[in-house]
Structure formats: C-alpha cells, structure tokens
Amino acid sequence: MSKSLLLLLCLLGVGGTVGQTPSPSPTSAYVPVTDYDAKRNATQDLKAAEAEARRTGKRVLMQVGGSGPWCDWCHFMDAFFQAHPDLVELRDRYFVTVKISVSVENQNREVLSHYPQIYGYPHFFVLDGQGNLIHSQQTSLLELGHNSYNADRVKEFLLKWGDERNQGTRAAVHHRRP
C-alpha cells in the first residue's frame, strides 16, 4: 500500500481501531441516569428507561435514594457496585437502571405515588418495559452489615428479578396506576 493511500486512510479514520473508543450504538439515544439528581425530571427519566427496556428486552431497575449525607446506605450501594464490576455487568445485562432522587429539594412524590411505600433508602423497584411493577425490594435485606452489601444476596436478587426465565411462578405483575 502506498504511503499516500495509507495516510489518506488514517486521516479518514479507516483501518485499525487501536486506542480508539467504540462509538455508542446508533440505535439508541438513551443516556442512563446514574446519579441522584433532584433537578432531573423523574417522570421523563423513567419513561426513557422503560422505552430502552422495551427496545433491549430488559427490565427497569429503579433505584430510589439520595446523594445527600442523610443517605449513607445510598453511598454504600454506589461504592459496593464500584467494588464489584462483575455485579455491575450482571445488573447491566438484565436491567436498564435509573436513579430517582428523593431529597428536601424534590421528593418526586408524583412518580413514587404509583408504587408501594418505601421504608428505607436506597430502595429497588423492578419494572417491565411497560412500567408495570414486578417487585419491590428493601435493600436492607441485601446488607452484609459494616456499611456494605452482601455480594451473594445482590447477585441472587439480580438473577432472580432480572431474568424472567429464573422466575418460575413469580408473583403477579402489578400494573401502574394511570
């Protein structure tokens, strides 16, 4: 190959991809909500997550909590997933995750009024792509103690509620209120 052709191919971006980051999928404009942000529109975020779940055949994992100092266990959950990339991979295989903020500035009462009462944070709601509630989970049941979560319990949760083939005769789906 001539030097000028090789130079042209490099300038056009044709050829190897060593050191290049792959482009995001052109079929999805979905941007995951990975932080608790009181300024976000939770209704729009949830609808976008549901649409992505329908597109990908996944479920929605709605994680409700906050970023403030009042929610230590929300911070512990974030640190736990950072320390367990295998569980992040498992979570992302089965779920479109969306964080919904609860704070003094915005309690997101309208969105959360469609789901069972929350008794502690963070809290998980598992939804199908239509927004129907499949499961409500107190994350305290996943705790190890000592400011962390139990990896085996979290893995069991993700497998049980993420892959409907593992469900057998699961509880009835609760349809979202209009």
Side-chain angles (χ1 to χ4, degrees):
M1 187 178 294
S2 74
K3 289 182 186 178
S4 57
L5 180 58
L6 185 58
L7 179 60
L8 178 62
L9 290 174
C10 288
L11 291 173
L12 293 174
V14 178
T17 59
V18 176
Q20 294 179 2
T21 304
S23 301
S25 169
T27 58
S28 175
Y30 179 73
V31 177
V33 180
T34 58
D35 293 315
Y36 298 112
D37 184 349
K39 295 175 184 163
R40 293 191 65 89
N41 184 321
T43 300
Q44 288 179 354
D45 289 341
L46 190 53
K47 286 182 182 196
E50 291 166 1
E52 182 68 3
R54 285 190 304 275
R55 188 187 75 77
T56 60
K58 296 179 181 182
R59 291 191 168 159
V60 175
L61 181 62
M62 182 170 44
Q63 186 174 329
V64 183
S67 61
W70 65 270
C71 192
D72 289 340
W73 282 99
C74 298
H75 300 292
F76 299 148
M77 176 70 73
D78 289 342
F80 172 82
F81 276 116
Q82 287 178 357
H84 294 86
D86 57 321
L87 295 177
V88 171
E89 188 277 326
L90 188 64
R91 180 193 66 194
D92 294 347
R93 180 186 319 159
Y94 294 121
F95 296 98
V96 174
T97 303
V98 59
K99 286 188 174 179
I100 304 294
S101 177
V102 175
S103 65
V104 173
E105 300 86 14
N106 185 354
Q107 294 188 12
N108 280 305
R109 285 188 178 125
E110 173 57 32
V111 168
L112 297 175
S113 70
H114 301 289
Y115 303 99
Q117 186 172 353
I118 297 172
Y119 295 101
Y121 298 96
H123 189 91
F124 289 150
F125 290 113
V126 177
L127 313 174
D128 66 14
Q130 304 305 316
N132 297 313
L133 177 65
I134 295 172
H135 182 67
S136 176
Q137 177 75 46
Q138 294 179 24
T139 58
S140 62
L141 301 174
L142 307 175
E143 291 175 11
L144 176 64
H146 308 293
N147 304 334
S148 190
Y149 289 90
N150 181 298
D152 291 332
R153 290 181 195 159
V154 172
K155 181 178 181 179
E156 181 182 332
F157 167 84
L158 295 171
L159 288 171
K160 180 175 182 179
W161 297 106
D163 188 357
E164 63 186 28
R165 293 173 297 179
N166 292 336
Q167 307 244 337
T169 57
R170 62 181 167 82
V173 171
H174 300 278
H175 297 284
R176 184 190 305 181
R177 291 177 240 154

